Amino acid sequence: MGEPTPTTMAGFTPAWLTEELRRGGTISGSTTVTSVERKTLGEGEGFMGELARLTIGYSGEPGPATMIASSPMNPSPSPSVFRSTDVTVVDPEIVPPRRSSSVSQAGVK
């Protein structure tokens, strides 16, 4: 199994995304994520965490160009704090959007 799901936007690194997208079959073993640009979405809108559009660069075959990621604002061990992290592929020409328990074709729980 790969690295744990990131709890901050900085955790969505090229290495982490490469491993998870390969594991889920979204990209081939010869494709590598080479860059991740993060654009914060909905800042100050009352979300219980961070929301960002990830723009992904690859070497090798193409993969999803854009993903949406969310993470808790304050990753706390307290069960009373909302703690979930999601990544959703939003490039339907590559992979239809859906969510799952890992970055496999679309989501991270």
Side-chain angles (χ1 to χ4, degrees):
M1 182 168 236
E3 292 292 316
T5 302
T7 57
T8 65
M9 287 300 142
F12 292 100
T13 64
W16 186 85
L17 287 165
T18 296
E19 182 176 337
E20 294 300 311
L21 291 169
R22 283 179 180 168
R23 187 164 55 95
T26 303
I27 62 174
S28 71
S30 64
T31 299
T32 302
V33 175
T34 57
S35 64
V36 180
E37 292 181 30
R38 298 165 197 84
K39 179 175 190 253
T40 301
L41 303 172
E43 191 168 17
E45 299 296 323
F47 292 109
M48 295 180 69
E50 295 178 275
L51 187 65
R53 176 179 292 115
L54 307 179
T55 302
I56 315 298
Y58 299 91
S59 70
E61 299 173 27
T66 306
M67 297 181 184
I68 300 297
S70 67
S71 66
M73 187 61 72
N74 179 14
S76 165
S78 169
S80 64
V81 176
F82 176 75
R83 294 177 300 159
S84 88
T85 304
D86 292 309
V87 175
T88 303
V89 175
V90 292
D91 186 345
E93 292 181 20
I94 303 290
V95 178
R98 68 181 178 106
R99 292 172 57 174
S100 71
S101 61
S102 67
V103 178
S104 62
Q105 311 244 341
V108 172
K109 67 177 178 179

